[in-house]
Amino acid sequence: MPELSGRTANFTDSVIRRMTRISNQYGAVNLSQGFPDFEPPKEILQRLAEVTKEDFHQYSITWGAQNFREALAEKHEHFTGMKIDPNSEIVVTCGSTEAMMAAMMSVTNPGDKVIVFSPFYENYGADTVLCGAEPIYVPLIPPTFSFDADVLEEAFRQNPKALILCNPSNPCGKVFTYNELKIIADLAEKYDTFVITDEVYEHIVYAPHKHTYFSTLPGMKDRTISCGSLSKTYSITGWRLGYVIATPHIIETVKKVHDFLTVGAAAPLQEAAVTGLRFSDDYYADLQLKYTEKRDFFIDGLDRLKISHTTPEGAYYVLLDISEFGYDSDVEFCEKLAREVGVGAVPGSSFFKEPENRYIRMHFAKKNQTLNEALNRLDSFREKMLI
Ligand code: GLN
């Protein structure tokens, strides 16, 4: 038999999704793969029921249904203050996973370099490899996860084609400050680099932190490729609705890539999701409040158990420090945690380029009763996990 493609040899399957399978196998409370176990807004579900009886069962326009793109453009303008053209500046994709991949394929050639902050959401590594590009990792240094501007400039000196910015950040919960973003923007300008953003947690930010959309920084609209999603904002991760927003020149190319990758996102789901895109400000304020309560509830529980952890400024992940347990492998730790304690987590090493073995990631996008059950199980954490 001939060999399989070389480009697939350099990354593994997703550790996040693998931990979901392991959690299910042991009946663990799954706090690994980040998705909610509560219902999406009922207005969206009601609209979905109606849509099944309407004429939305065939392909929509490949780069997204007109209605969806118009509603998204209005929402985007509302939150960023920037007007975008729904016809020439948006591509609707199958989740932001496809959005990121389409963005990467649209700007990189094999051999190009791409700056990725570490820790990073695991897809970026695979996306880069699949494009034949080469990541340059720049550390976000714990506990504040800030970067060293000189180290970043050193990376820019290697002439990268793009920088990937996940803000608010998965897995470390960092919300980049305006000043940090300005440093990135100035370097992107100086070294003529694209910035591909993953802003899927734009509405999950904890006071006093505030999300700044990278494209709103002076001069950045033309070089920013903004990727977003409805998954987290409306609790519909399984609908796989994401998008790319960029200037018409870039979007022309993203449209082509997207067309041949997937043709389009599911037409009935796009139509139903328009209801969410048209929600008023109250919805986003409630979402923020709900997640703030969940974050506080979960980290208070971890504090009671004397487990040290990060305090996220945004997104819905916490990194727990497991260094005191003395395991050589955080993968082994997570498997044992699922099996013996009954809680699913993701090994931190899958997010770090550095040989980091100190963290595991849990998320708190769950009903209070699920979080309670997880915390009850974690009562036996210390006793069961000590070697
Ligand atoms: N973004 C979520 C996480 O980090 C889910 C990822 C996925 O499986 N698509 O867990």
Side-chain angles (χ1 to χ4, degrees):
M1 292 288 276
E3 279 186 14
L4 299 175
S5 87
R7 82 173 74 83
T8 57
N10 292 330
F11 58 93
T12 64
D13 62 329
S14 155
V15 180
I16 298 178
R17 268 81 82 189
R18 199 187 312 156
M19 285 315 302
T20 280
R21 295 192 291 275
I22 290 175
S23 295
N24 292 344
Q25 180 187 342
Y26 294 119
V29 179
N30 184 11
L31 303 187
S32 61
Q33 188 180 15
F35 62 90
D37 66 349
F38 42 84
E39 293 254 299
K42 61 179 180 323
E43 297 86 342
I44 297 182
L45 298 184
Q46 269 158 11
R47 181 67 192 129
L48 178 63
E50 289 164 18
V51 161
T52 59
K53 300 186 197 81
E54 297 173 20
D55 188 14
F56 292 102
H57 301 291
Q58 311 308 326
Y59 306 123
S60 63
I61 295 169
T62 171
W63 56 87
Q66 190 71 29
N67 200 10
F68 185 98
R69 280 181 286 108
E70 283 171 7
L72 177 61
E74 275 172 36
K75 172 181 176 274
H76 191 76
E77 184 181 350
H78 180 70
F79 284 103
T80 63
M82 285 166 71
K83 211 172 176 53
I84 51 166
D85 177 3
N87 296 316
S88 62
E89 294 184 296
I90 297 178
V91 177
V92 183
T93 56
C94 299
S96 69
T97 299
E98 188 210 337
M100 294 293 293
M101 189 67 199
M104 288 278 288
M105 291 185 93
S106 297
V107 304
T108 60
N109 287 313
D112 280 348
K113 296 194 169 130
V114 175
I115 299 178
V116 178
F117 286 110
S118 167
F120 58 96
Y121 175 50
E122 57 174 15
N123 280 40
Y124 310 151
D127 289 351
T128 313
V129 172
L130 283 169
C131 288
E134 193 190 313
I136 311 170
Y137 293 99
V138 172
L140 293 174
I141 306 151
T144 57
F145 295 97
S146 46
F147 59 84
D148 179 328
D150 293 334
V151 174
L152 185 62
E153 178 144 19
E154 194 52 48
F156 270 97
R157 278 198 203 98
Q158 295 179 51
N159 194 25
K161 198 65 174 290
L163 172 143
I164 296 180
L165 176 72
C166 181
N167 184 32
S169 188
N170 175 9
C172 65
K174 177 183 179 61
V175 174
F176 286 73
T177 62
Y178 186 87
N179 285 345
E180 289 172 319
L181 296 175
K182 185 76 174 77
I183 292 171
I184 299 170
D186 289 346
L187 290 169
E189 187 90 62
K190 180 171 172 189
Y191 292 92
D192 194 19
T193 307
F194 287 114
V195 176
I196 301 174
T197 70
D198 175 350
E199 291 172 287
V200 306
Y201 302 99
E202 64 191 301
H203 296 295
I204 304 178
V205 178
Y206 308 107
H209 304 281
K210 283 200 163 33
H211 178 61
T212 304
Y213 293 87
F214 191 78
S215 59
T216 64
L217 271 87
M220 284 302 109
K221 183 170 190 259
D222 286 354
R223 59 177 71 250
T224 305
I225 305 170
S226 309
C227 299
S229 165
L230 280 69
S231 291
K232 273 64 184 192
T233 303
Y234 306 107
S235 309
I236 48 173
T237 62
W239 289 30
R240 313 308 303 126
L241 290 177
Y243 51 86
V244 183
I245 294 176
T247 56
H249 165 65
I250 298 170
I251 284 297
E252 261 316 295
T253 295
V254 179
K255 280 179 179 174
K256 283 193 290 186
V257 175
H258 160 76
D259 194 3
F260 287 108
L261 274 177
T262 62
V263 178
L269 300 181
Q270 289 186 61
E271 180 56 30
V274 168
T275 302
L277 292 171
R278 297 205 186 281
F279 281 160
S280 66
D281 283 345
D282 290 351
Y283 175 77
Y284 303 96
D286 287 350
L287 185 79
Q288 195 114 325
L289 187 64
K290 177 173 172 161
Y291 272 112
T292 302
E293 284 170 4
K294 289 191 183 302
R295 178 192 70 156
D296 293 347
F297 179 76
F298 192 60
I299 64 179
D300 283 353
L302 295 178
D303 287 342
R304 274 197 308 280
L305 298 169
K306 301 203 172 6
I307 303 173
S308 67
H309 59 81
T310 53
T311 298
E313 301 166 353
Y316 49 50
Y317 305 98
V318 181
L319 294 174
L320 283 62
D321 189 332
I322 56 158
S323 47
E324 63 172 298
F325 292 89
Y327 282 68
D328 291 336
S329 152
D330 56 2
V331 176
E332 189 197 319
F333 186 96
C334 285
E335 284 182 10
K336 186 168 168 194
L337 187 70
R339 194 174 62 239
E340 309 270 322
V341 179
V343 178
V346 184
S349 55
S350 59
F351 303 107
F352 283 87
K353 178 57 187 166
E354 303 77 23
E356 191 59 82
N357 200 33
R358 185 163 33 133
Y359 297 111
I360 60 171
R361 191 197 77 173
M362 289 187 188
H363 81 94
F364 49 82
K366 292 287 182 242
K367 291 178 195 152
N368 290 352
Q369 79 196 68
T370 311
L371 293 176
N372 220 2
E373 176 61 26
L375 288 169
N376 285 341
R377 292 180 183 206
L378 287 170
D379 258 338
S380 64
F381 183 73
R382 205 163 288 282
E383 166 202 335
K384 289 188 174 150
M385 295 308 291
L386 277 173
I387 302 179

